[in-house]
């Protein structure tokens, strides 16, 4: 059973489009995260959600919006995609802080 | 600014060589420390973590790390690397039970 899953695995789209990436965890965790990993492998946290409440929101453009329909899901919506949004996006989950975070397989986004 | 520093950007070793990857952080107070590994094309996986207790932590696949509070360091070690250890290694710090901060990563290449 996959603990943290993301769809799609690959996403190629045009500038200006709106897209969503889905994340689901079956670990019963109460905190979920989105990270962006750039071409240099630098990993930066974007959001975290705990019981449907946004905990942190780093300096992320408001074109990015997390949506959590329930504790097991944290989807990432991106509006008006830009070239610089091209990256690998990882979802993760944990049982509160500061517990170990379990990562999904990543979604490779390429904006043309 | 508070940060997590990994001094080595790219390390190249031959099989059976010993490994030490540096990690320093600049946060005060209570910190929880992690090392994650990302094999080529895969998601991040936990190698080991330190919350409290014995500062020498044993992880999976023969890795260990030592927390030296006075040096704000949490270096990763392995006595004898294998080709399969080729991966990107990330040090992460969870300061004061807040959000996780990742270092920039160290790419390890092990030559067979």
């Amino acid at each position: 059973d996959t603990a943290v899953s993301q769809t799609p695995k690959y996403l190629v789209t045009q500038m200006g489009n709106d897209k969503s990436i889905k994340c689901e965890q079956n670990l019963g965790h109460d905190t979920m995260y989105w990270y962006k990993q750039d071409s240099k492998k630098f990993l930066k946290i974007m959001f975290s959600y705990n019981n449907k409440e946004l905990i942190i929101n780093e300096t992320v453009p408001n074109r990015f919006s997390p949506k959590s329909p329930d504790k097991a899901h944290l989807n990432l919506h991106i509006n008006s995609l830009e070239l610089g949004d091209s990256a690998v996006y990882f979802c993760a989950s944990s049982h509160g802080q500061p517990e170990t975070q379990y990562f999904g397989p990543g979604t490779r986004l390429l904006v043309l | 600014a508070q940060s997590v520093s990994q001094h080595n950007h790219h390390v190249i070793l031959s099989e059976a060589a010993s490994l030490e990857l540096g990690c320093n952080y600049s946060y005060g107070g209570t910190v929880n420390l992690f090392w994650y590994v990302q094999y080529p094309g895969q998601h991040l996986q936990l190698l080991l973590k330190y919350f409290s207790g014995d500062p020498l932590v044993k992880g999976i696949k023969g890795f260990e790390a030592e927390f030296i509070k006075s040096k704000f360091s949490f270096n990763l070690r392995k006595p004898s690397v294998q080709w399969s250890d080729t991966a990107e290694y990330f040090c992460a710090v969870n300061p004061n039970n807040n959000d996780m901060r990742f270092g920039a990563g160290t790419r390890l290449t092990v030559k067979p």
Side-chain angles (χ1 to χ4, degrees), chain A residues 37 41 43 88 90 104-106 108, chain B residues 36-45 47 85-90 106:
Chain A
Q37 186 177 46
K41 299 288 189 180
L43 201 64
V88 182
F90 286 98
R108 190 174 295 275
Chain B
Y36 282 85
V37 60
Q38 186 178 24
Y39 296 104
Q42 296 189 27
H43 61 284
L44 277 81
Q45 303 170 44
L47 269 181
D85 293 325
T86 294
E88 193 90 18
Y89 291 82
F90 293 91
T106 296

Side-chain angles (χ1 to χ4, degrees), chain A residues 37 41 97-98 100-101 104, chain B residues 32 34 36 38 43 49 94:
Chain A
Q37 186 177 46
K41 299 288 189 180
Q97 293 269 26
T100 303
Q101 293 183 19
Chain B
N32 301 291
F34 306 79
Y36 282 85
Q38 186 178 24
H43 61 284
K49 62 184 178 184
N94 193 284

Side-chain angles (χ1 to χ4, degrees), chain B residues 63-82:
Chain B
F63 285 91
E64 65 177 32
E66 185 174 12
F67 170 51
I68 303 179
K69 190 174 182 179
S70 60
K71 294 184 178 181
F72 296 87
S73 70
F74 189 55
N75 291 355
L76 180 71
R77 300 195 291 249
K78 185 170 182 177
S80 176
V81 293
Q82 301 171 312

Side-chain angles (χ1 to χ4, degrees), chain B:
Chain B
Q2 295 180 317
S3 65
V4 181
S5 301
Q6 291 183 242
H7 315 294
N8 311 105
H9 180 64
H10 189 190
V11 173
I12 303 173
L13 295 173
S14 298
E15 275 195 314
S18 65
L19 169 72
E20 180 158 3
L21 301 182
C23 174
N24 286 89
Y25 60 92
S26 60
Y27 300 94
T30 302
V31 290
N32 301 291
L33 302 156
F34 306 79
W35 275 97
Y36 282 85
V37 60
Q38 186 178 24
Y39 296 104
Q42 296 189 27
H43 61 284
L44 277 81
Q45 303 170 44
L46 182 71
L47 269 181
L48 48 79
K49 62 184 178 184
Y50 172 80
F51 287 1
S52 64
D54 188 345
L56 185 61
V57 180
K58 303 284 187 185
I60 60 171
K61 303 186 181 186
F63 285 91
E64 65 177 32
E66 185 174 12
F67 170 51
I68 303 179
K69 190 174 182 179
S70 60
K71 294 184 178 181
F72 296 87
S73 70
F74 189 55
N75 291 355
L76 180 71
R77 300 195 291 249
K78 185 170 182 177
S80 176
V81 293
Q82 301 171 312
W83 177 78
S84 57
D85 293 325
T86 294
E88 193 90 18
Y89 291 82
F90 293 91
C91 178
V93 176
N94 193 284
N96 302 308
N97 293 345
N98 288 324
D99 51 294
M100 190 90 82
R101 301 289 176 173
F102 283 82
T106 296
R107 180 157 43 120
L108 171 65
T109 300
V110 180
K111 295 181 176 178

